[in-house]
Amino acid sequence: MIRLAIFDCDGTLVDSQHNICTAVEESFAANGLVAPPRNTIRRIVGLSLVEAMRMLLPDAEDALHQRIAQDYKDAFFRLRSTGAMAEEPLYDGIAELLKALSAEGWLLGVATGKSDRGLAHILAHHGIADHFITLQTADRHPSKPHPSMIDTAMRDAGAVAAHTAMIGDTSFDMAMARAAGARAIGVAWGYHPPEELVEAGAHVVVEHVSALARALENP
């Protein structure tokens, strides 16, 4: 039996909120706009960029959404290339968890609103890229909660939905898992509160990384 565990990245594997919020603020400023508060920005983490801008600016035209999304990419690249980017640490226990799951025969994947380049950078920086056999990003899929990322990850792994779990910190992850027929495991250390994860369909929400392996083993 093939068991597949798919992880979100931002807010689940790594704490990247500072850089995301900074890039949103710079992209808004480039267009003469005042960015929303950071607690509002954190709520769109996980969505594809254009969809995120639609949520932040629901009354704006699509051309502006597209322009701010591109300005966000430019700002993020500038932060990284100039060394101004803040550390994006792995959450405590994640590296050990990935190693243990791999040793126990789990196949691992990532489904994220990041770009291919952004995800590759994070995984390489933390030395965890080799754990994952399938990487799904916003470059090749509709935004969460569309199930395309999970569907493709399952095809890559040869897994079926009944033995696949999506692990994430946002309601978008939980809704995506439900849409794909996979198990939805929420984590409480990310950017959406546990009650929203439950409302979006989480089968279980774990408080600490140490509880994730047990949650995966007990459907």
Side-chain angles (χ1 to χ4, degrees):
M1 178 182 69
I2 295 172
R3 300 180 298 170
L4 174 64
I6 306 169
F7 289 82
D8 170 55
C9 185
D10 299 312
T12 301
L13 294 176
V14 300
D15 187 2
S16 50
Q17 60 179 301
H18 177 80
N19 293 326
I20 291 171
C21 289
T22 299
V24 168
E25 289 163 354
E26 289 196 11
S27 66
F28 271 61
N31 289 276
L33 299 170
V34 177
R38 288 197 164 193
N39 62 339
T40 299
I41 296 173
R42 284 192 290 270
R43 295 194 55 75
I44 56 85
V45 174
L47 294 174
S48 299
L49 282 177
V50 174
E51 189 62 31
M53 298 314 166
R54 288 191 184 113
M55 183 172 287
L56 292 176
L57 293 167
D59 297 326
E61 295 183 355
D62 191 58
L64 181 59
H65 297 147
Q66 298 282 347
R67 185 163 66 248
I68 297 179
Q70 183 58 54
D71 289 339
Y72 174 96
K73 292 180 183 179
D74 295 342
F76 211 90
F77 180 75
R78 183 169 59 254
L79 288 169
R80 179 165 289 150
S81 61
T82 60
M85 184 164 283
E87 177 66 18
E88 295 177 307
L90 287 176
Y91 288 102
D92 290 344
I94 286 292
E96 295 80 4
L97 173 71
L98 297 176
K99 184 176 180 179
L101 291 176
S102 295
E104 292 167 8
W106 282 87
L107 299 184
L108 307 180
V110 177
T112 176
K114 280 186 175 299
S115 66
D116 286 335
R117 181 173 65 180
L119 177 60
H121 176 87
I122 284 288
L123 299 183
H125 175 74
H126 290 295
I128 58 174
D130 290 347
H131 289 300
F132 300 104
I133 61 101
T134 180
L135 303 175
Q136 307 304 324
T137 76
D139 285 347
R140 287 167 282 112
H141 295 281
S143 180
K144 299 175 182 180
H146 192 285
S148 176
M149 291 188 193
I150 295 178
D151 290 342
T152 303
M154 289 192 296
R155 286 197 298 272
D156 285 353
V160 297
H163 302 301
T164 296
M166 176 68 209
I167 301 155
D169 68 300
T170 71
S171 57
F172 316 129
D173 297 311
M174 302 301 96
M176 179 174 65
R178 286 288 193 164
R183 191 149 182 258
I185 299 179
V187 302
W189 54 82
Y191 306 144
H192 286 190
E195 58 269 23
E196 290 189 14
L197 303 182
V198 172
E199 289 173 6
H203 292 94
V204 63
V205 177
V206 299
E207 294 289 334
H208 303 287
V209 173
S210 59
L212 261 178
R214 190 163 57 253
L216 284 165
E217 294 291 348
N218 294 285

